[in-house]
Amino acid sequence: MKPRDTLGQKLAGYGISRRALLKFAAAAATSLALPPGVAPAIAESLSGARRQSLIWLSFQDCTGCLESLTRSDAPGIERLIFDFISLDYQETLMAAAGAAADETLVRAARDNHGKYLLAIDGSVPTAEGGVHSMVGGRTNMDMLAELAEGAAAVLAIGTCAAYGGIPKAAPNPTSAVGIADLVKEKPIVNIPGCPPIPEVLTGVLVNFLTFGRLPDLDDLGRPLAYFGTTIHDQCYRRPYYDQGKFAHSFDDEGARQGWCLFELGCKGPTTRNACASLKWNGGTSFPIQSGHGCLGCSEPDFWDKGSFYTSLSGGEGPPWDAVGGAAAVGLGIGGAAAFAARRSRAAVDRQLAKEWQRDHGATATSKTEEDGP
Amino acid sequence: MSGMPPSLAPAAKPGAKPATRRVAESRDQADRARLDAAMRGFISDFGPEAAVYMEACLHCGQCAEACQFYVETGDPKYTPIWKIEPFKQAYSREMGPFAPFFRAFGLTPKVTLGELEGWQELLYDSCNMCGRCSLVCPAGIDIADLVEKARHGMFEAGLVPGDYLGALAGKEQETGNPFGISREDVRRALLEIGRSHGVEMHVDEPRAAVVPTVSSIDLKMYPASIAATARVLNHVGASWSFRTDGFDADNVSLTAGDRTGQRLVTEAIVDAATRCGAEVLIMPECGHSYTEMRWEAANTVGHALPFRVLHMSEYLAECLDAGRLKLRPVTPDPEGRGVTFHDPCQLSRRSGRSDAPRKVMAALGLDLHELADHGADSWCCGGGGGVALINRARPLRDKAFAIKRRQVADTGAGTVIVSCTGCRQTFEHGFKDAGGETGVGSLLDLVAGQLEEDGKTP
Amino acid sequence: MTLLDFARGPALYWSTLIMVCGLVWRLAGVALLPFRPDRSAAGPQSRGRVRGALGTIVSRSLPRRTFLARTFATVVVGYAMHLGLLIILLGGAPHILLVAQATGLSWPSLPKGVVALASAVTLVTLVFVLVRRCTHPVLRLLSNFDDFLSIVLTLVPVATGILLAEETVLPYRTLLTWHILSVEAMMIWLPFGKLSHVVFVFAGRAVSGAKLGKRGATT
Amino acid sequence: MDERDPFLNALMGEVRMLLSRLLDDGGPGQIDLMRLPMPPERRQDLQDMLGRGEVEITLDAAGTSLIRETAYAGVWWIEHRDRGGRMVANLIEVAQMPAIVPPTDEEMRASLAALHARDMKEAGR
C-alpha cells in the first residue's frame, strides 16, 4: 500500500492536520447520529482508510443532484471526502470525452472489480428496451446491469434513481423505474431527495470508509440516520401544530407569524428526511423555514400524490358531480324499493277493500283509492 | 273515496257478517296463510311516518325506563320497542329500503307464527299504548303507534288474546257496542236512568247541536255518570241528544287490532252525529276512543268532520270559559287531605289537553295535590289499550299499577279524580287488589253534583 | 400505490359515494312510501306541523326531567360521546381542513389539548357503551350485530385518531393510513346500519313532532 | 428565559452526571447539541445557564473552532465551524481539556524532529 493511499496521508499532503480531521469526525458523528464519543475512533479509522474508487453514472436525470452535491459555495471539510474518493468516472465533471471517457470507465471497472462503489443519479427508462436514454450507443439498462455486477454497493442518488422520481410520474412514457427495481443482487442505498442533501451522501461515504459497510437502512432503503424521523417531528414550527395554530394562506397573519403550514399542504408529517435538522445551503434554511410547505420530494411517487397545496388530511374526495351521481343512484334504488313496497301495500289494500265490499257491501266509503299508486 | 258522502250511506246492515268470522276462520288457516295475513295487516296503512320510525331506532333502551311494565317487573322483554320486534323484522324483509337484500341474503330470518304467538303477551297484555315511551325516545319513535299497527297484524293472524277481547270486539261490530246490547235496549236503559236519577233525558232526537257518547261500561257500572252527562248538558242549556245509532265510543276493536270493526264503530258515530246536524261530539271519559275520533276519524271516513270532537273535560272547560257552566265550590274534606288527579294518557300526553280537566277542578275549588309525574309525564293506570279487558293480565296489571299507587300515596290525597271510565275501573280494581283505602272519583260526577242552579231547570 | 395513497385516493372517493348513495337510497325508500294526508282538525293549542317538527328536533336533544332519574347514565354518556365527537369533528384542525378543501368553508380550530381531551372522553364513553351493551339486560336483548359493529366502527377511528395526534406507538404515516381507512369503513357502513341515526333520529323526531305539534301535545 | 425549561434542566443534570463520572475517573464525556432540538433561544438560554469561565481557545483547522470553558470548571462549550463559517458540530465536552486541544506525542515527536533538523541546518550553515 502506497502511503498516499490513506486518507491521513492525503490530508497531510493537503496540509490538513489531525485536529482538522478530528473536527470533521465530530461533525460526521453528529450527522450520522453516532455518539459524539466515537469521533476519535472515526478519525483514526478514516486516517487509515484506503482510497475508494467511485464510478458515477447519470441516467434519466436533470443533473440537479450533482449540482446540489458539488455546488457548495464555501467548500467545507466534507469536500475533502470527495477529493479522497477516486471519482473514476463522472461524465459531467471529468475532462475526458468520447472514446477516452469510455476507456476510463472500462479501466476503472476492471481495475477495481468487486470493490468500487457505483453511484447513479437519474431513473432508468425501460420502455422499448430502454432506448429512451443511451450513452455512447448503449442503453442505461445495459450499463447498469454490467457495472452493478462488479460493484461493492450501489448508491441511488436522488429520488429518480431511488424511486423513479419525476420521469416515472404518470403517465410515465418511458416506463422509468428506480435502481432497486433492476438491481437485485447488490446492496443498494437510496439517498432520495429532489435534490438530496449533500451531507447525507458524505455521511454514507464516511460510514462506508470507516466501517466498510453501508449504514442501517429503513424499509425504503434509506439510511436510518437521516431518514429515521419525519420533517414534521423535527420541524421548528411543530409547536404551532400542537397548539392548533395554522397559516391558512401564504399571506395571512398566521403565515407572517410563522405558524404551521400543514393546512397549506405541507407534507412534513409523511416525509422522512433530514432537511429540518441539517438544512440547506450551508445550514442556512430549508423550505418550511422560508415559508413554503414540504413537498415530500424524498418520498416515492411524490409527484403523483395530488397537489402540493392539498393538505394531508384532505385526500382526493370525489367531485360534486360524482356525489350528485351517487345521490341520483341512491334515489333510483330507494325509489324502486319504495315502489315495490307501494305495490305490495296496494295489493294488500285492494284485497282488504274486496273483503270489505264482500262483507259490508255499499257501506264501503273506500279509503284505498286516495293513496297514490 | 266513493262519491256518496258517508253521512248519507245506510248504517251497517244487520245482516253484515262480523269480523269474528275471520277470527274463527283463521284458527284453521295454514300457518303460512296466517303469517301472510299478519304481514298484510301490519303493512296496510303503513306509510313514510311508520317507516321512518322503523329506521330510526337506536336500540338505546331508554323506552324501557319509561314503561311501567318494565320498571315494575325489571323484565327486559317488556321493553316497548322489543314488543314490536317481529314486525320490525317483517318490515326489514318486506317494506324497508333494503328489503330485497334482506330477503336475497336471508339477513333477517322470516318471522314465524310461533314467534308471533310468543309476542301476544307483549303486544296485548303489557302495552297500554299510553305513549310514555314515545315521549322519552330520542329518535321520536311513536312506539304506541307502531304497537297499534302490530296489533292489526296480530288480529289478521287470529292472535287476539283470550276470547274476551276478541268476543267484545266481535259484538261491537254486530251491535255497535261491546256488550251486544241492542239499540232498543240502549234506548230503554237510557230513559230508565233519566227516570231513576230524576233528570231530563234526550234520546234519538232528530236534530241536536251536541251529541254525547258514552262507554257501555257506564251503562252497566256507572249509570250515575250517564245521568251526570244529561244533567250537565241540561244545565248549560245545550240542544243535545244521545243517539242509539252512534252511542258507544269504546271502540274495543281499535285496541284489539281489528280495523274493520274500528272503522264500523267510527263510521256509525260519525254518521249518527252528522245526521242530526251536530256541532259538537262529546267523547266520554275514555281515552283511546277519544284519540280515534279526534285525530283519526276524519282520515277513516275520508273527509274533514262536520262537527268538533271534544273530550268531556274539554267541553266542561269550554262551558266554564263561556260562562254557561256555573259551579259551587266543593266543601273541603274535614281531614284536609285534598285530592289528586290522574291524567288520562290519551287526553294529556297524546292530545295536549292537560289544561282542560285542571280548569274544571280549579272551578270546583278542589285542593289539588299533583302527582310526582303528571300532565304529559303521567304514568298510565295500566289498564289502557285494552289491557283492562284481558282477564289473565290482571296480576301483571296490578304490578304495573304499583307505581301509580305509590305516587298517589306520596301526595297524601284522600281521593284520586279520574276523567276516564277505563282508568276509573283500573283504579278501583287496583286499590281493591292492594287493599288500599284511597277513594276514586269521577270528574264529571263531581261537576254534576256542584251545579249552581240559577232558577233555570232544577 | 401505497396503502396511504389508496386510502386517500380511491378508497375515499368510493366510500364517500357509497355513503351518499346509501343514505339517499334509504331516505328515498321510506320517504316515497304512500303518504296519507291528515284530515283531522288541529288542536286548540296546535303549534302546527312545521313548528312541531322543528321544535321536537331540538327538544328531544334535551332530556326530559321526569325520565332523567332512570336514564341518567344513558343520557350523560350519550352527551359526552356525541359532544366529544362533535368537538373532534368540528374542532380538530385536520378535519376542518378536510371540509375546507371539499367545500371552501373554514372556521378556527380548537387547541390540540381540547381536542385531545374530547377524544379521550369519547373513547372512554364508547368503551363504556360497548361494555354496557354487553351487560345491561335490556340492551343485551335489543342488540344485534349491527349495534356492535356500529360502535366498533366509531371506536376505531377515534382510537387511531388519538394515536395519530399523539404520534405514539407507530409512525405517523401508518397511523394516518389506518385512521383514514377506519373512517372510510365507518362511512361505508353508515347508511346501512345503526349509524344512519345521524339522519334518522332527526327524521323520527320531525315525524312525531309534526304529528304531536299539530295536536298541540307535548313533544 | 424560563428557568424551569424541563429540557434544559435535564441537560444540566446530564452535565452534572458526566462531571461526577469524570472525577470518578470514568473518562471524558460529550453531549452532541446538534442532534437535540435546539432552537436559537434555547441554545442561548443554555449558554447563559452554563456561563463563561476563564479559558477560551480558538482553533484554526479547516475553519475556525471555538473552545470555551464554562463557569463550571471541566465543562467545555465547543463549536466547530467549517471554512465557510457554518457550524458543523456543537458539543458540550466534559474533560480536563478537550482532546482536540493538546498535541499528541506523535505530533510532538514530529515537532522535535523538525526542530532537530532545523538545528542541524543552522549548525551546517
Short mmCIF file of all heavy atoms in Angstrom, two decimals, chain A residues 16 24 28 52 99 129 136 141 165 270 286 341 349:
data_model
loop_
_atom_site.label_atom_id
_atom_site.label_comp_id
_atom_site.label_asym_id
_atom_site.label_seq_id
_atom_site.Cartn_x
_atom_site.Cartn_y
_atom_site.Cartn_z
N ILE A 16 -3.75 19.26 5.89
CA ILE A 16 -4.87 19.11 6.82
C ILE A 16 -4.35 18.41 8.07
O ILE A 16 -3.81 17.31 8.02
CB ILE A 16 -5.99 18.27 6.19
CG1 ILE A 16 -6.53 18.97 4.94
CG2 ILE A 16 -7.11 18.01 7.19
CD1 ILE A 16 -7.22 20.27 5.19
N PHE A 24 -13.70 17.11 11.72
CA PHE A 24 -14.57 16.53 10.71
C PHE A 24 -15.28 15.28 11.25
O PHE A 24 -16.48 15.09 11.03
CB PHE A 24 -13.77 16.17 9.46
CG PHE A 24 -14.57 15.36 8.48
CD1 PHE A 24 -15.57 15.96 7.73
CD2 PHE A 24 -14.34 14.00 8.32
CE1 PHE A 24 -16.31 15.23 6.84
CE2 PHE A 24 -15.10 13.26 7.44
CZ PHE A 24 -16.08 13.87 6.69
N ALA A 28 -19.09 14.47 11.43
CA ALA A 28 -19.66 13.27 10.80
C ALA A 28 -20.45 12.47 11.83
O ALA A 28 -21.54 11.96 11.52
CB ALA A 28 -18.54 12.43 10.22
N GLN A 52 -10.94 5.08 -2.07
CA GLN A 52 -12.10 4.33 -2.57
C GLN A 52 -12.43 4.76 -3.99
O GLN A 52 -12.55 5.94 -4.29
CB GLN A 52 -13.31 4.62 -1.66
CG GLN A 52 -14.60 4.02 -2.13
CD GLN A 52 -14.56 2.50 -2.16
OE1 GLN A 52 -14.07 1.87 -1.21
NE2 GLN A 52 -15.01 1.90 -3.26
N ALA A 99 -14.26 8.56 -26.82
CA ALA A 99 -13.67 7.24 -26.63
C ALA A 99 -12.78 7.20 -25.39
O ALA A 99 -12.73 6.20 -24.68
CB ALA A 99 -12.85 6.87 -27.87
N GLY A 129 -37.12 -1.42 -24.71
CA GLY A 129 -35.76 -1.91 -24.50
C GLY A 129 -34.84 -0.86 -23.90
O GLY A 129 -33.62 -1.07 -23.85
N GLY A 136 -23.26 6.69 -25.53
CA GLY A 136 -22.31 6.00 -26.42
C GLY A 136 -22.93 4.78 -27.07
O GLY A 136 -22.24 3.77 -27.24
N MET A 141 -29.98 0.71 -19.19
CA MET A 141 -30.26 -0.61 -18.62
C MET A 141 -29.04 -1.52 -18.74
O MET A 141 -28.65 -2.20 -17.79
CB MET A 141 -31.45 -1.27 -19.32
CG MET A 141 -32.79 -0.72 -18.92
SD MET A 141 -34.11 -1.39 -19.96
CE MET A 141 -34.31 -3.02 -19.21
N GLY A 165 -38.77 8.82 -9.48
CA GLY A 165 -38.90 10.27 -9.47
C GLY A 165 -39.82 10.85 -10.52
O GLY A 165 -40.82 10.24 -10.91
N THR A 270 -45.53 13.21 6.57
CA THR A 270 -45.36 11.92 5.92
C THR A 270 -44.02 11.82 5.19
O THR A 270 -43.80 10.88 4.45
CB THR A 270 -46.48 11.66 4.89
OG1 THR A 270 -46.52 12.75 3.97
CG2 THR A 270 -47.83 11.54 5.57
N PHE A 286 -34.33 25.91 5.20
CA PHE A 286 -34.95 24.80 4.46
C PHE A 286 -36.35 25.26 4.09
O PHE A 286 -36.81 26.29 4.57
CB PHE A 286 -34.91 23.50 5.26
CG PHE A 286 -35.85 23.42 6.43
CD1 PHE A 286 -36.92 22.52 6.41
CD2 PHE A 286 -35.67 24.22 7.53
CE1 PHE A 286 -37.78 22.44 7.49
CE2 PHE A 286 -36.54 24.14 8.62
CZ PHE A 286 -37.59 23.25 8.59
N ALA A 341 -92.50 -1.59 -2.43
CA ALA A 341 -93.26 -1.61 -1.19
C ALA A 341 -94.67 -1.07 -1.40
O ALA A 341 -95.65 -1.60 -0.88
CB ALA A 341 -92.54 -0.81 -0.11
N ASP A 349 -104.10 -3.54 0.31
CA ASP A 349 -105.26 -2.66 0.44
C ASP A 349 -106.40 -3.09 -0.48
O ASP A 349 -107.57 -3.06 -0.10
CB ASP A 349 -104.85 -1.21 0.11
CG ASP A 349 -104.04 -0.60 1.23
OD1 ASP A 349 -103.98 -1.22 2.31
OD2 ASP A 349 -103.45 0.49 1.04
#
